[in-house]
Amino acid sequence: MEDFLVILLKVAAIYGGVIGTAALYTLAERKVAAWIQYRIGPNRVGPWGLLQPLADGVKFIFKEELVPAGANKLLFRLAPMMSAVPAMLTIAVVPFAGDMTLFGVDTFGAIAKIDMSAFYVVAIGGLGVYGIILGGWSSNSKYSLMGGLRASAQMVSYELSLLLGILSIVVVSGSADLYDIVDAQSGAIWRWNAFQQPLAFGLFVIATFAETNRHPFDFAECEPELVAGFHTEYSSMKFALFFLGEYCAMIVMASLTTTFFLGGFEVPFWADAPWVIQLAAFGAKTAFFLFLFLWVRWTLPRFRFDQLMSLGWKVMLPLSLLNVFLYGALTSFGAFGD
Amino acid sequence: MVIVKRKELSLRERLYLPEVVRALSFTFRALFKRKITRQYPEEGLPVTEVTRGQPRLTLLEDGENLACVSCGLCEAACPAYAITIDGQETDRFIEREPERFEIDMLRCILCGFCEEACPKDAIFMSDELELADFTREALIYDIDKLKRPKAALQKRIDYFYKVNDRWRKPSSTS
């Protein structure tokens, strides 16, 4: 019984935390955008504008719900959910902290601990693109369709680099369990995969931007050409759900980058830190990547679509393959055995 | 026809990543720069010597009666037909004063023609710039809303005479 309650508590804490972070993240986006442009940003609702996400939510609820004529009604309604749910499912296996004891129950800092979690993450995370493609197709609008098409082409191209980056981590760590991957990076700071495999780290981060449809790769939206891309026809809470899905996906990607490359919840040189400190370390590392998403968005202009494709297939993919072969060979010759 | 010669990019620029790092460092520094936002309702708009705001009527030195003699010149000069005047007789020395003086602030284009037309220095453009209300009727200003003590408009009056000295001699407001 107590086991069950502890699991419920963890589920509530993690999902509440992620959705709360997503809400604050929308505010952070607007704040960082403003600061980079020498502006102040939203500061009217609550202290420092902290209640702005709440005000946005209220606004979305009162907006008119519109389904365009000729839209495929079922898929049109399904698409926002399909874009939000995979991000939420992925977060279930992310290790937020190591072993912990809650109310006398020994447990661990994730919702689920499964052997193949590295591949579970990719498999479920890859479903996120269906929401975008279906949203674009079912709207019965040329802009939405183009947005959806671009998103699918982009996802296919960059998922390969993402996967190969994860593969080389798995090969070196000798396990596809995220907890084992984190354990393999414990101890000194140079044991983090970011320093062990700098090439894979760079490629993974770039592919992450493409996977989450963020600048400079946000071709699914691409305002100047496609109005708003796949969500052109969406309004009210359906649009908000797409928005939530996008920000949750970014949080998931940031936490996965942390887990795979920055040692997850490990505190450098302090392998058996209490779980609160581990959680704080995880949060700090993830926050860095979340900031990176915003920082890059307000710095770089968007690529051209053919540039995106040639970067994906002619640069990222060969380099990722090279990386996998290199580290596979190094591992089989025992370079990483300890 | 214009032929634009594209600049040959150096190797560093073609590699893209060094330039990305440069751009990122620039925006990171921008995060901490001084903000130029004006927090409008709290921080007012800048009022300078030449600010030409909404027209206001000046009161005489006694602070009670308007300088206006309801001659109707400003009404005639107004290109937007924003001014409406009904005159009446008075026992005061100037013999005439407005019974009704209304400026429809929704029509007013703040051109300042009324100020130039006035022979009695009775109407001046103030430094009041804000105009907002809930009904159209509330924005048709009558005498009560328009009258200002002369001291409140003194800055504009001084500036007005400074620039107009070439063709107009100062006249008394009595």
Side-chain angles (χ1 to χ4, degrees):
Chain A
M1 184 59 200
E2 278 185 339
D3 290 10
F4 184 67
L5 282 179
V6 163
I7 289 172
L8 268 189
L9 183 72
K10 279 197 300 187
V11 170
I14 287 175
Y15 280 112
V18 168
I19 291 177
T21 311
L24 281 181
Y25 196 34
T26 59
L27 175 69
E29 167 119 76
R30 296 168 66 178
K31 277 284 188 189
V32 169
W35 290 336
I36 284 179
Q37 297 165 354
Y38 305 152
R39 293 185 289 113
I40 293 176
N43 63 351
R44 298 283 145 165
V45 196
W48 306 291
L50 277 176
L51 297 178
Q52 187 71 41
L54 220 61
D56 287 342
V58 171
K59 186 196 77 172
F60 275 129
I61 287 171
F62 283 108
K63 289 253 174 181
E64 186 183 358
E65 190 98 47
L66 212 79
V67 181
N72 185 323
K73 300 241 164 27
L74 176 70
L75 291 180
F76 190 78
R77 299 215 165 91
L78 201 62
M81 302 174 209
M82 289 197 63
S83 102
V85 167
M88 306 264 177
L89 285 179
T90 320
I91 208 78
V93 295
V94 174
F96 286 95
D99 294 329
M100 53 166 82
T101 308
L102 283 178
F103 306 115
V105 179
D106 288 326
T107 180
F108 47 87
I111 294 174
K113 207 176 195 174
I114 49 180
D115 294 345
M116 299 289 281
S117 42
F119 295 122
Y120 168 86
V121 158
V122 183
I124 302 293
L127 291 176
V129 71
Y130 280 102
I132 293 173
I133 295 172
L134 288 179
W137 179 77
S138 64
S139 302
N140 191 28
S141 152
K142 49 192 173 300
Y143 300 119
S144 303
L145 183 61
M146 286 305 294
L149 277 176
R150 285 179 173 196
S152 55
Q154 180 184 334
M155 291 282 188
V156 169
S157 326
Y158 281 82
E159 200 129 77
L160 287 170
S161 310
L162 203 72
L163 265 169
L164 289 171
I166 292 176
L167 193 61
S168 77
I169 299 289
V170 170
V171 165
V172 171
S173 309
S175 167
D177 188 339
L178 290 181
Y179 268 98
D180 290 344
I181 290 173
V182 171
D183 276 346
Q185 303 175 65
S186 68
I189 194 166
W190 55 85
R191 285 175 55 93
W192 287 1
N193 282 326
F195 301 108
Q196 300 275 321
Q197 309 191 31
L199 181 61
F201 179 56
L203 294 171
F204 188 89
V205 169
I206 294 173
T208 303
F209 280 91
E211 270 302 286
T212 48
N213 282 317
R214 288 292 289 185
H215 274 261
F217 307 114
D218 66 333
F219 286 89
E221 292 171 37
C222 202
E223 290 88 355
E225 298 155 36
L226 300 178
V227 190
F230 65 95
H231 58 56
T232 307
E233 307 292 340
Y234 281 89
S235 61
S236 188
M237 281 315 276
K238 289 207 197 81
F239 174 75
L241 208 53
F242 266 130
F243 222 67
L244 181 74
E246 189 187 323
Y247 281 88
C248 281
M250 274 192 280
I251 293 170
V252 169
M253 276 319 207
S255 52
L256 284 181
T257 317
T258 305
T259 308
F260 282 126
F261 288 97
L262 288 196
F265 54 78
E266 290 290 347
V267 184
F269 307 110
W270 191 12
D272 47 357
W275 68 269
V276 181
I277 293 179
Q278 287 182 337
L279 187 64
F282 185 87
K285 292 172 193 173
T286 308
F288 169 73
F289 283 108
L290 289 178
F291 174 69
L292 189 70
F293 278 122
L294 305 181
W295 186 14
V296 167
R297 166 161 188 190
W298 297 102
T299 303
L300 298 182
R302 185 181 293 119
F303 278 74
R304 216 167 54 209
F305 194 62
D306 63 310
Q307 290 172 333
L308 172 90
M309 281 297 147
S310 66
L311 178 70
W313 291 101
K314 293 182 190 164
V315 180
M316 302 267 297
L317 187 59
L319 282 177
S320 304
L321 280 171
L322 178 77
N323 185 64
V324 171
F325 279 122
L326 188 67
Y327 281 89
L330 284 175
T331 311
S332 66
F333 293 131
F336 292 100
D338 48 337
Chain B
M1 193 173 70
V2 180
I3 297 171
V4 179
K5 271 196 103 176
R6 297 259 177 234
K7 190 177 145 244
E8 197 74 14
L9 294 179
S10 67
L11 178 69
R12 203 176 77 96
E13 283 165 333
R14 269 184 291 137
L15 276 176
Y16 198 66
L17 281 177
E19 293 294 294
V20 168
V21 172
R22 206 157 70 88
L24 284 175
S25 79
F26 180 85
T27 45
F28 192 74
R29 270 178 277 130
L31 279 174
F32 307 103
K33 287 261 173 66
R34 202 174 64 80
K35 309 302 172 213
I36 57 171
T37 305
R38 174 178 293 122
Q39 305 257 32
Y40 169 58
E42 291 93 27
E43 291 173 43
L45 295 163
V47 173
T48 65
E49 199 188 21
V50 296
T51 300
R52 194 174 68 205
Q54 299 162 12
R56 290 289 181 266
L57 301 178
T58 48
L59 288 168
L60 291 175
E61 309 293 348
D62 62 9
E64 225 172 278
N65 296 302
L66 292 174
C68 178
V69 294
S70 71
C71 65
L73 285 176
C74 54
E75 196 178 9
C78 183
Y81 304 114
I83 303 178
T84 314
I85 306 172
D86 287 339
Q88 67 180 9
E89 296 196 353
T90 171
D91 298 334
R92 285 157 53 219
F93 176 70
I94 56 169
E95 294 182 354
R96 278 176 65 80
E97 64 177 17
E99 181 192 8
R100 183 168 77 117
F101 194 115
E102 286 178 356
I103 302 181
D104 186 344
M105 295 311 303
L106 294 173
R107 302 201 67 141
C108 178
I109 56 173
L110 314 180
C111 64
F113 283 10
C114 47
E115 175 186 60
E116 284 179 29
C118 186
K120 302 300 276 182
D121 286 358
I123 188 165
F124 276 104
M125 310 305 278
S126 64
D127 55 8
E128 293 164 39
L129 298 159
E130 283 154 357
L131 185 69
D133 215 313
F134 293 100
T135 61
R136 285 162 188 274
E137 290 72 32
L139 287 167
I140 300 174
Y141 282 14
D142 58 8
I143 292 177
D144 278 343
K145 281 187 181 166
L146 288 171
K147 66 182 179 192
R148 290 286 180 277
K150 200 176 170 196
L153 298 168
Q154 197 56 50
K155 225 169 70 182
R156 176 70 188 178
I157 296 171
D158 293 343
Y159 174 76
F160 183 80
Y161 280 118
K162 203 175 87 192
V163 294
N164 287 3
D165 254 353
R166 269 178 303 175
W167 63 84
R168 185 168 135 161
K169 287 282 165 227
S171 66
S172 79
T173 46
S174 56

